[in-house]
Amino acid sequence: MPTFGTPADFQQAIAELRTLFPADRISTDPDVLHVHGFSLNTYHPGAPHSVVISVEGTEEVSSIVKVASKWKMPITAYSGGTSLEGGFAAHPQGGICVDLSGMDQIIKINEADSDLVCQAGARWDDINETLREKGIPLFFPLDPAPGATIGGMIATGCSGTNAVRYGTAKAEWFLNVTVVLPSGEIIKTRRRARKSSAGFDTTKLFIGAEGTLGIVTEATIRLAPLLPTNVAVAQFPDVRKATEAVGEILNKGVPIQCVELCDDVFMHATNNYGISTRKYPERDSLFFKFQGSPETIAESARVVDEVVRAHGGSGFELAKSEKEAADLWADRKAALFSGLALVPESKGWSTDVCVPVSRLPDLVYETKKDLEESGLVSTIVGHVGDGNFHSLILFKADKELEAVRGAVHRMVERAIRLDGTCTGEHAVGIGKKEYLYEELGTGTVELMKLIKRTIDPLGIFNPGKVVAYPVRLERLQFSDTPDICSFIQMTVQHSLVVKSIPEE
Amino acid sequence: MPTFGTPADFQQAIAELRTLFPADRISTDPDVLHVHGFSLNTYHPGAPHSVVISVEGTEEVSSIVKVASKWKMPITAYSGGTSLEGGFAAHPQGGICVDLSGMDQIIKINEADSDLVCQAGARWDDINETLREKGIPLFFPLDPAPGATIGGMIATGCSGTNAVRYGTAKAEWFLNVTVVLPSGEIIKTRRRARKSSAGFDTTKLFIGAEGTLGIVTEATIRLAPLLPTNVAVAQFPDVRKATEAVGEILNKGVPIQCVELCDDVFMHATNNYGISTRKYPERDSLFFKFQGSPETIAESARVVDEVVRAHGGSGFELAKSEKEAADLWADRKAALFSGLALVPESKGWSTDVCVPVSRLPDLVYETKKDLEESGLVSTIVGHVGDGNFHSLILFKADKELEAVRGAVHRMVERAIRLDGTCTGEHAVGIGKKEYLYEELGTGTVELMKLIKRTIDPLGIFNPGKVVAYPVRLERLQFSDTPDICSFIQMTVQHSLVVKSIPEE
């Protein structure tokens, strides 16, 4: 178990940091500390940081890491503040919050190579807006919630509605990342070629690591051609029919950019809240976004309409204008707001499980039944092409929170039982840590812990997130033979002696 | 520097292994040892293994690893035997070769989820042939040279001609891998959901690691819809014009599956060797493979023809029959054979550098000039959409080999200078190890070594490949403060004492 510095040590660290940063970029104001430690819509235990520092460059992050190491003070990166699993919550003992939200610049656009270098605090929607303003017909296709930053997207291994076409943050959208390691050292994981087989994939090491192995400060991101799109909605007899239609559409290779499953409750909530003027049939529905030339979209729509009908669906029709398409998509994208409006003055807990696509109907049915039996109201919206769905479980009083927590727990257990994952795109943070052993097996989690311990031996980088620390040392028995040849083998010997250390 | 067992220890290990495996699956026959240690077309130093064992399952690999650990004997995986960088060469001191080529079974096809579970020795072309025979309209789109296995494709982080559309092995084609770690433990890195944000990306840890961190025995692979394709060839005034045309085509989002740059010498070699009856203009050319419905292909071809003409290209015409398309593509795919036929009785050294696409023309021009000045004959074929190209440098006598080696060295240096990589898709093996520091910087390489040392503390997994071992310990200074709190900090203390250990 890592031993952090004492409160007095932390005060010394803060005093040192005050000598390094101007007063207007380092704060211990309780309101500032609170805002940087708690995200909206999160019901996990949280804590305020001890100090928040707004950074302007990679070297500054490195200088903070050196102070944090010296005083053994936790250090957590913050940028967009949109995490749903407590990813940037402070450690209960406090720590340093490195606020990268001001590092939001695009450093260089390489249009001919369809890539772009930017700082970690840049928001994906701002990047796409900048490209649009400059008339560059490219975009960055990872689309989590608006406001998410490149750094946070890397940290969570995010995706979004475009993943069915473009894959996730774990695909090849990040050509390289610049990272400050727990040693304070600054590395750049790769050069700018689109592909490379030069050694271990250290870029990927930081994607999904939630700032526990290093703090990403810059990235080179791939861009995709910005294509015309159009939108259509269709209704289905049930979720299974809708899912089967999607399976067939995908296996036919129809070039769709998105396909989103919205359940009957979601459609009711949308009619209730509605951005567009359309009143939808309140049935399980699919929202499609097509991409390509008008000819390609027309042909895709023809194929999809056929498949929809073959699976008992109806009502499929392409939007007739750009405005109509934008309005329909806005109805889908307003999930949080239309959901919350369903129960006045409610709060919502957003879930995020993912299973093989063919198992999605079972997961949705069992979940809906469970929620109903628990007396909970929820909308469901799914990235059905990926087998990923979010339910927004509504509640008003804190006394309902335990019922919500129980339902979320059962949903995760169900997803894992169906060969799925506790988190499709929101990461582990605090909220999903308890499920890793069950989902991945002891060996895989212990491998993660071994990597964590090796790269961050003091355990100060976003402690308590992703994996508990330290590794259970009894798993480090590499050999039956004693070996005293070198320091390396010596550490193995130690691990043979120390059989177990309690988990954090 | 890892200390391996003595020759006597290795004999003990082999004796123990003989008690575990039937005689017909364990061999010390010199011919067998040689075949498993040397790949064709590789001019790196090699060595024969001490023993070769044909394995039939994951547990068997684990049992071998335990014997290897006990006697500190190097252990190297072998399957397809197509490596170009000495990836499966034995360590100079010998070792155990684990032959997975018999583990070539497809375990389960999940058509509705478009994925498939298989053993590591399965070949990608056999997998696609099986899907075709079963009438399942899906395929695995990574297409390195025929004969490459899933295990080798993971080890090298491979790609191929389809990468411009489907990305590489480092994208999301491997949903999970089953791995035997150096501890002998068997882990499965993930479940079968298409995406997951559950912790570090341990699947990616093994992709491109060339068996130095574990031996992959099974994988779940994503499949893509099998779409109709057609092929066309066009000629250009020069490489730059051709590359610029490709950039424009890609940025327009035209759905091409492949685009391959073949230089004038390649086209001459093809006319000389020719599978198809077509005689091509002997100029720098692009081979296109389009995909989609006939309507989509026709539309794509129209757009591409326009762009080709705008960049001074000519001769663009879609193949008029499936046979013609297959023949044209076979001309491109016969690169090795048509190249070798150019100089009777020659051998070829195949290179593999990759740069940002916009820099490909400079790289090609400088390389062609250098080869000419060196008196070397070479064909060039490039995955131009990825900025990756291979030159097949021809030579006859061993005395020419040094000139080839020099030219390859300068080509790599040039690629790195152009913000590229020493290897686009063939991995590091022995051949590219010397370039990692220059390409990636000290910190990134040392991070790789740190990971290597941690996961394989005895240094017996495919030693001498990818990164030298062990890590330079002076890089392990995490903190200025002494710390004696726990075993973990103790190891850090040790690292502060041991300032440097010579490289292997």
Side-chain angles (χ1 to χ4, degrees):
Chain A
M1 189 150 60
T3 309
F4 298 128
T6 62
D9 290 337
F10 287 10
Q11 288 311 312
Q12 293 275 10
I14 294 170
E16 271 187 36
L17 291 167
R18 285 197 189 280
T19 68
L20 299 176
F21 291 90
D24 62 342
R25 293 209 277 125
I26 178 164
S27 177
T28 52
D29 179 304
D31 290 343
V32 173
L33 300 181
H34 186 88
V35 163
H36 286 78
F38 295 84
S39 66
L40 297 168
N41 311 314
T42 298
Y43 307 100
H44 306 299
H49 299 283
S50 310
V51 60
V52 173
I53 307 170
S54 291
V55 290
E56 296 181 349
T58 303
E59 292 288 349
E60 287 188 359
V61 176
S62 175
S63 71
I64 297 171
V65 168
K66 284 168 186 163
V67 174
S69 295
K70 178 175 170 186
W71 298 102
K72 287 190 279 168
M73 189 164 180
I75 181 165
T76 299
Y78 171 99
S79 49
T82 59
S83 165
L84 290 174
E85 295 295 347
F88 59 85
H91 189 273
Q93 290 180 44
I96 302 165
C97 174
V98 180
D99 182 348
L100 294 111
S101 61
M103 285 179 63
D104 61 354
Q105 297 303 299
I106 295 174
I107 296 166
K108 191 163 195 313
I109 299 171
N110 301 299
E111 185 175 354
D113 295 321
S114 59
D115 68 44
L116 171 161
V117 185
C118 68
Q119 292 181 306
R123 297 171 176 212
W124 69 270
D125 38 359
D126 289 347
I127 289 170
N128 286 341
E129 185 55 34
T130 300
L131 292 167
R132 210 165 10 241
E133 282 168 7
K134 288 182 182 292
I136 298 172
L138 298 168
F139 80 119
F140 186 59
L142 302 180
D143 66 329
T149 62
I150 293 298
M153 292 161 78
I154 289 168
T156 53
C158 81
S159 42
T161 66
N162 289 335
V164 67
R165 167 69 185 86
Y166 294 100
T168 79
K170 297 184 175 184
E172 298 179 283
W173 297 107
F174 297 102
L175 294 184
N176 61 53
V177 291
T178 299
V179 189
V180 180
L181 297 177
S183 62
E185 184 164 34
I186 298 163
I187 65 166
K188 186 173 162 185
T189 54
R190 229 174 75 175
R191 286 173 176 251
R192 204 163 56 78
R194 285 189 181 175
K195 61 184 203 186
S196 171
S197 283
F200 309 158
D201 195 344
T202 52
T203 310
K204 295 295 195 328
L205 191 65
F206 299 98
I207 297 177
E210 305 187 43
T212 63
L213 301 179
I215 295 177
V216 173
T217 58
E218 288 183 15
T220 303
I221 62 178
R222 272 284 302 260
L223 304 172
L226 188 64
L227 300 175
T229 61
N230 200 351
V231 175
V233 186
Q235 292 78 42
F236 287 82
D238 54 41
V239 166
R240 190 175 304 280
K241 292 281 185 196
T243 305
E244 285 168 359
V246 171
E248 190 175 332
I249 290 163
L250 292 180
N251 276 4
K252 279 179 186 288
V254 181
I256 52 174
Q257 182 170 324
C258 315
V259 53
E260 296 284 299
L261 172 72
C262 300
D263 78 342
D264 50 348
V265 186
F266 182 99
M267 298 314 297
H268 171 67
T270 300
N271 280 339
N272 180 51
Y273 180 79
I275 293 176
S276 77
T277 54
R278 189 186 283 206
K279 290 294 161 193
Y280 300 89
E282 295 184 358
R283 292 165 58 197
D284 298 323
S285 303
L286 291 177
F287 280 69
F288 295 94
K289 187 185 276 187
F290 298 93
Q291 66 168 207
S293 66
E295 296 81 5
T296 300
I297 289 179
E299 190 204 338
S300 301
R302 186 184 57 72
V303 175
V304 169
D305 191 16
E306 268 178 32
V307 177
V308 165
R309 287 168 199 269
H311 290 269
S314 61
F316 178 91
E317 198 180 353
L318 277 178
K320 293 195 174 50
S321 68
E322 279 189 31
K323 179 178 184 319
E324 189 187 0
D327 283 354
L328 292 179
W329 202 250
D331 278 339
R332 155 61 192 90
K333 280 287 196 176
L336 176 64
F337 304 106
S338 61
L340 289 173
L342 200 55
V343 176
E345 293 170 39
S346 65
K347 297 180 243 185
W349 183 313
S350 185
T351 72
D352 171 39
V353 290
C354 185
V355 292
V357 176
S358 64
R359 303 196 174 172
L360 187 64
D362 287 339
L363 180 63
V364 170
Y365 289 139
E366 290 178 34
T367 298
K368 283 173 82 94
K369 186 161 173 280
D370 184 358
L371 292 171
E372 202 177 306
E373 287 171 2
S374 307
L376 294 166
V377 176
S378 162
T379 57
I380 281 182
V381 58
H383 310 315
V384 59
D386 308 313
N388 185 203
F389 83 86
H390 308 301
S391 59
L392 182 70
I393 308 178
L394 303 170
F395 65 101
K396 291 171 80 167
D398 277 354
K399 68 178 167 28
E400 293 168 284
L401 193 55
E402 282 318 297
V404 176
R405 210 180 290 278
V408 173
H409 175 74
R410 291 188 297 278
M411 191 188 309
V412 169
E413 295 281 340
R414 200 174 290 132
I416 293 174
R417 204 173 61 237
L418 292 166
D419 218 0
T421 177
C422 63
T423 172
E425 55 187 14
H426 292 168
V428 176
I430 297 168
K432 298 289 176 62
K433 233 166 63 171
E434 63 179 299
Y435 303 108
L436 290 191
Y437 278 101
E438 186 182 347
E439 178 177 331
L440 301 170
T442 303
T444 300
V445 181
E446 294 298 335
L447 177 62
M448 291 182 190
K449 290 186 177 186
L450 185 60
I451 292 167
K452 165 68 177 170
R453 190 197 67 167
T454 301
I455 296 179
D456 178 24
L458 298 176
I460 56 172
F461 265 54
N462 209 9
K465 316 298 161 51
V466 191
V467 286
Y469 183 95
V471 67
R472 283 194 205 136
L473 292 174
E474 73 268 33
R475 306 210 68 83
L476 282 175
Q477 299 176 38
F478 295 94
S479 164
D480 297 323
T481 34
D483 195 315
I484 50 164
C485 296
S486 76
F487 156 68
I488 287 110
Q489 281 82 357
M490 212 152 63
T491 68
V492 179
Q493 287 305 306
H494 279 294
S495 77
L496 291 171
V497 175
V498 186
K499 278 290 178 188
S500 156
I501 285 181
E503 300 260 336
E504 181 189 31
Chain B
M1 188 150 58
T3 309
F4 299 127
T6 63
D9 290 337
F10 288 10
Q11 289 310 313
Q12 293 276 8
I14 294 170
E16 270 185 37
L17 291 166
R18 286 198 188 278
T19 69
L20 299 176
F21 291 89
D24 62 341
R25 294 210 276 123
I26 178 165
S27 176
T28 52
D29 178 302
D31 289 343
V32 173
L33 300 182
H34 187 89
V35 164
H36 285 76
F38 294 84
S39 66
L40 298 169
N41 310 314
T42 299
Y43 307 99
H44 306 298
H49 299 284
S50 311
V51 59
V52 174
I53 307 170
S54 291
V55 289
E56 296 181 348
T58 304
E59 292 288 348
E60 287 188 358
V61 176
S62 174
S63 70
I64 296 171
V65 168
K66 284 168 187 162
V67 174
S69 295
K70 179 175 169 186
W71 297 102
K72 288 189 279 165
M73 188 164 178
I75 181 166
T76 298
Y78 172 97
S79 50
T82 60
S83 166
L84 290 176
E85 294 296 348
F88 59 85
H91 189 273
Q93 290 180 43
I96 302 166
C97 173
V98 179
D99 182 348
L100 294 110
S101 61
M103 286 180 63
D104 60 354
Q105 298 302 299
I106 294 174
I107 296 167
K108 193 165 192 313
I109 299 172
N110 302 299
E111 185 175 353
D113 295 320
S114 58
D115 69 45
L116 171 160
V117 186
C118 67
Q119 293 181 305
R123 296 169 177 213
W124 70 269
D125 39 357
D126 289 347
I127 289 171
N128 286 341
E129 185 54 33
T130 300
L131 292 168
R132 208 165 12 240
E133 283 168 6
K134 287 182 182 292
I136 297 172
L138 298 169
F139 80 119
F140 186 59
L142 302 180
D143 66 329
T149 63
I150 294 297
M153 292 161 76
I154 290 168
T156 52
C158 82
S159 42
T161 66
N162 289 334
V164 67
R165 166 68 184 86
Y166 295 100
T168 79
K170 296 185 175 183
E172 299 179 283
W173 297 106
F174 297 103
L175 295 183
N176 61 54
V177 291
T178 299
V179 189
V180 179
L181 297 177
S183 62
E185 184 164 35
I186 298 162
I187 65 166
K188 185 173 161 183
T189 53
R190 230 174 75 174
R191 287 173 175 252
R192 204 163 56 79
R194 285 190 182 172
K195 61 185 204 184
S196 171
S197 284
F200 308 157
D201 195 344
T202 52
T203 310
K204 296 296 194 326
L205 190 64
F206 299 99
I207 298 177
E210 306 187 43
T212 62
L213 301 178
I215 295 177
V216 172
T217 58
E218 287 183 18
T220 304
I221 62 177
R222 273 283 306 260
L223 304 171
L226 188 64
L227 300 175
T229 61
N230 201 352
V231 175
V233 186
Q235 290 78 40
F236 287 82
D238 54 42
V239 166
R240 191 176 303 280
K241 291 281 183 194
T243 304
E244 285 169 358
V246 170
E248 189 175 332
I249 289 163
L250 293 178
N251 277 4
K252 279 179 186 288
V254 180
I256 51 173
Q257 182 171 324
C258 316
V259 55
E260 296 284 297
L261 172 72
C262 300
D263 77 343
D264 51 348
V265 186
F266 182 99
M267 298 314 296
H268 171 68
T270 300
N271 281 339
N272 179 51
Y273 180 79
I275 293 176
S276 77
T277 54
R278 187 185 286 207
K279 290 292 162 195
Y280 301 89
E282 295 184 0
R283 293 165 57 199
D284 298 323
S285 303
L286 291 176
F287 281 69
F288 295 96
K289 187 184 276 186
F290 297 94
Q291 67 168 206
S293 65
E295 297 82 3
T296 301
I297 289 179
E299 191 204 338
S300 302
R302 186 184 55 73
V303 175
V304 168
D305 190 16
E306 268 178 33
V307 177
V308 165
R309 286 169 199 269
H311 291 269
S314 61
F316 179 90
E317 197 180 355
L318 276 178
K320 294 196 172 48
S321 67
E322 280 189 29
K323 180 174 185 320
E324 188 186 0
D327 284 352
L328 292 180
W329 202 250
D331 277 339
R332 155 61 192 89
K333 280 287 196 177
L336 176 63
F337 305 105
S338 60
L340 289 175
L342 200 54
V343 177
E345 293 170 39
S346 66
K347 298 181 242 186
W349 182 315
S350 185
T351 71
D352 171 40
V353 289
C354 185
V355 292
V357 177
S358 64
R359 303 194 175 175
L360 188 64
D362 287 338
L363 180 63
V364 170
Y365 289 139
E366 291 178 35
T367 299
K368 282 173 81 93
K369 185 160 174 281
D370 184 358
L371 292 171
E372 203 177 304
E373 287 171 2
S374 308
L376 294 166
V377 176
S378 162
T379 58
I380 281 183
V381 58
H383 311 315
V384 58
D386 307 313
N388 185 203
F389 82 86
H390 308 300
S391 59
L392 182 70
I393 309 177
L394 303 171
F395 65 101
K396 291 171 82 167
D398 277 356
K399 66 179 172 17
E400 293 168 286
L401 192 55
E402 281 318 297
V404 176
R405 210 180 291 280
V408 172
H409 175 75
R410 291 189 297 278
M411 192 189 310
V412 170
E413 296 280 339
R414 198 174 292 133
I416 292 173
R417 204 173 63 234
L418 292 167
D419 218 0
T421 177
C422 63
T423 171
E425 54 187 15
H426 292 169
V428 176
I430 297 168
K432 298 289 174 66
K433 234 166 61 171
E434 65 179 297
Y435 302 108
L436 290 191
Y437 279 101
E438 185 182 349
E439 178 177 332
L440 301 168
T442 303
T444 299
V445 181
E446 294 298 336
L447 177 62
M448 291 182 189
K449 290 187 177 184
L450 185 61
I451 292 168
K452 165 68 177 172
R453 190 197 68 166
T454 301
I455 296 178
D456 178 24
L458 297 176
I460 58 174
F461 266 53
N462 209 10
K465 316 298 160 54
V466 190
V467 286
Y469 182 96
V471 66
R472 283 195 205 136
L473 293 172
E474 73 268 32
R475 305 209 68 83
L476 282 174
Q477 298 176 39
F478 296 95
S479 163
D480 296 323
T481 33
D483 193 316
I484 50 164
C485 295
S486 76
F487 157 69
I488 288 107
Q489 282 81 358
M490 213 151 64
T491 67
V492 179
Q493 288 304 308
H494 279 293
S495 75
L496 291 172
V497 175
V498 186
K499 280 289 178 189
S500 156
I501 285 181
E503 300 262 333
E504 181 189 29

